[in-house]
Amino acid sequence: MQLLHQIYLAALTIPGYTTALPASPYQPSVPHLTWSLKSTNSTQQFRGLSPVSDKVVWVSGTSGTVLRTTNGGSSWSNISPSFAPENATNFQFRDIHAWSAESAVVLSIGEGDLSRIYVTSDGGKNWSKTFVNEEPAAFYDCLAFEDEKHGLAMSDPVEGKFRLIETWDGGATWDIVDPQGIPAALTGEFGFAASGTCIEAAAGRWYIASGGVDPGRVYGSSDGHEWKVSNTSIPGGPAAGVFSVRFRDEKYGIAVGGDYEKPTGNVDNAAWSEDSGATWKKAESFPGGYRSGASWVPGRSHVAIAVGTSGSDITVDGGKNWHSIGNGTFDAVECVKEGVCWASGAQGRVASLSYKHNV
Ligand SMILES: *[C@@H]1O[C@H](CO)[C@@H](O)[C@H](O)[C@H]1NC(C)=O
Ligand SMILES: *[C@@H]1O[C@H](CO)[C@@H](O)[C@H](O)[C@H]1NC(C)=O
Ligand SMILES: *[C@@H]1O[C@H](CO)[C@@H](O)[C@H](O)[C@H]1NC(C)=O
Ligand SMILES: *[C@@H]1O[C@H](CO)[C@@H](O)[C@H](O)[C@H]1NC(C)=O
Ligand SMILES: *[C@@H]1O[C@H](CO)[C@@H](O)[C@H](O)[C@H]1NC(C)=O
């Protein structure tokens, strides 16, 4: 794309050539970015990722594991809630939300009482179990917070609708959201507990990403109670659909996904919306495979990163075109305002990428 950028600039200098230019001649250059792997000394799979800054990062995953660094990934502490060793392997913390080096909420996925939530306010020394699912049909996938108090966690449909639980006290107590305002799910529709981004809170709105049905869908709400659902352009199926929905402001968002059984399949696996998710347009060029997570880069309004098991990609035009930045496997990505993106995944992989390029 850098070459393309130069061609456009050259063309602009030729008198009379401008009519031949595309409608939008500005072609931002794609920076060269590479992931810097951090040693976590862990072989767990970290689908839960919540960086607070370029220094403080929490990851969570298999075998009930939670790790935290406070020095930018040079060293990691295992601050997992304590389980009997024979029971820890049952728990998969697929989502985590941290506010500081001290406070975080972590979600364990699974059937029955495996779906549960723990909260810490002392950096993981003490965890309180604040929610244990009692609904046999529920399976919690992900959670999101719009501030330090108000959050939602999302379960696959119960009695034909996605089930949501809500907290107004930073995760200490949870109540089931009245299903009245939630549209009916389609037969086979569910969310993907792949990266903690199947529910999103952004700019005063809430979103849910779904799959299992074709196409994958996105639900949107301004209060977490009254929801509308839209088709996306991302194909869905038993292992396919929208895995991650992210909004940079109240209007503009991206969705990524694909089929996790086809890691390098990239048919129509990314889309963007400029109307708060009411309608979705497919990208023009796509990430290099199934992508489970995406994150906007704060302060770079058109720039976002997507990751999946077959690699990672960047967009510099708001999700219309995606460019490969690596082929290593990751599940989740989150960027922080310091211009650093963090990614995490299988076999204890955690990496950071410094976004200093002036786009
Ligand atoms: C890695 O973890 C193992 C097992 O807990 C421990 O024995 C070893 O010292 C650790 N290595 C480093 C570099 O932290
Ligand atoms: C392990 O989990 C099972 C099932 O939840 C429970 O009955 C048992 O008491 C747990 N074991 C310990 C040692 O906590
Ligand atoms: C841990 O938190 C629980 C619930 O808030 C509290 O009852 C308990 O005293 C705390 N334990 C420690 C060691 O701080
Ligand atoms: C959404 O997609 C489904 C399946 O293709 C289709 O039946 C339905 O009409 C679509 N809804 C809208 C509003 O386009
Ligand atoms: C990743 O692999 C794809 C397909 O082989 C290739 O086109 C792309 O350039 C690779 N990306 C990087 C950053 O090496």
Side-chain angles (χ1 to χ4, degrees), residues 186 213-215 217 229-232:
L186 300 173
V213 292
D214 189 23
R217 308 205 293 174
V229 61
S230 300
N231 287 344
T232 67

Side-chain angles (χ1 to χ4, degrees), residues 123-141:
K125 289 191 200 73
N126 188 20
W127 291 91
S128 308
K129 187 167 66 185
T130 61
F131 172 77
V132 179
N133 174 48
E134 290 170 358
E135 166 57 56
F139 185 114
Y140 283 81
D141 294 305

Side-chain angles (χ1 to χ4, degrees), residues 113-132:
D113 69 2
L114 288 176
S115 277
R116 45 176 77 185
I117 292 171
Y118 293 82
V119 177
T120 185
S121 55
D122 58 8
K125 289 191 200 73
N126 188 20
W127 291 91
S128 308
K129 187 167 66 185
T130 61
F131 172 77
V132 179

Side-chain angles (χ1 to χ4, degrees), residues 42-233:
S42 172
T43 55
Q44 303 303 328
Q45 181 168 18
F46 297 120
R47 291 183 184 273
L49 168 67
S50 186
V52 174
S53 68
D54 55 345
K55 298 284 188 290
V56 176
V57 183
W58 302 61
V59 293
S60 67
T62 46
S63 290
T65 306
V66 182
L67 305 185
R68 188 198 54 176
T69 181
T70 54
N71 56 17
S74 302
S75 62
W76 297 80
S77 311
N78 186 333
I79 50 163
S80 309
S82 51
F83 298 106
E86 74 273 23
N87 278 0
T89 50
N90 295 339
F91 293 99
Q92 295 196 39
F93 289 133
R94 296 270 183 106
D95 200 359
I96 186 166
H97 188 94
W99 292 281
S100 65
E102 288 74 44
S103 298
V105 175
V106 67
L107 173 79
S108 165
I109 61 129
E111 287 171 1
D113 69 2
L114 288 176
S115 277
R116 45 176 77 185
I117 292 171
Y118 293 82
V119 177
T120 185
S121 55
D122 58 8
K125 289 191 200 73
N126 188 20
W127 291 91
S128 308
K129 187 167 66 185
T130 61
F131 172 77
V132 179
N133 174 48
E134 290 170 358
E135 166 57 56
F139 185 114
Y140 283 81
D141 294 305
C142 46
L143 53 71
F145 280 80
E146 67 168 353
D147 57 30
E148 301 217 347
K149 298 289 180 199
H150 190 203
L152 291 176
M154 181 269 250
S155 158
D156 290 339
V158 174
E159 291 167 5
K161 291 181 175 188
F162 278 99
R163 166 155 295 192
L164 299 172
I165 54 172
E166 181 172 43
T167 179
W168 287 96
D169 55 15
T173 60
W174 296 87
D175 292 304
I176 294 172
V177 173
D178 186 347
Q180 186 85 32
I182 305 173
L186 300 173
T187 304
E189 187 173 20
F190 60 87
F192 294 101
S195 66
T197 53
C198 60
I199 189 165
E200 158 84 327
R205 290 183 52 81
W206 301 84
Y207 303 89
I208 288 171
S210 82
V213 292
D214 189 23
R217 308 205 293 174
V218 170
Y219 293 66
S221 173
S222 58
D223 61 3
H225 290 243
E226 301 300 322
W227 293 80
K228 285 189 174 148
V229 61
S230 300
N231 287 344
T232 67
S233 55

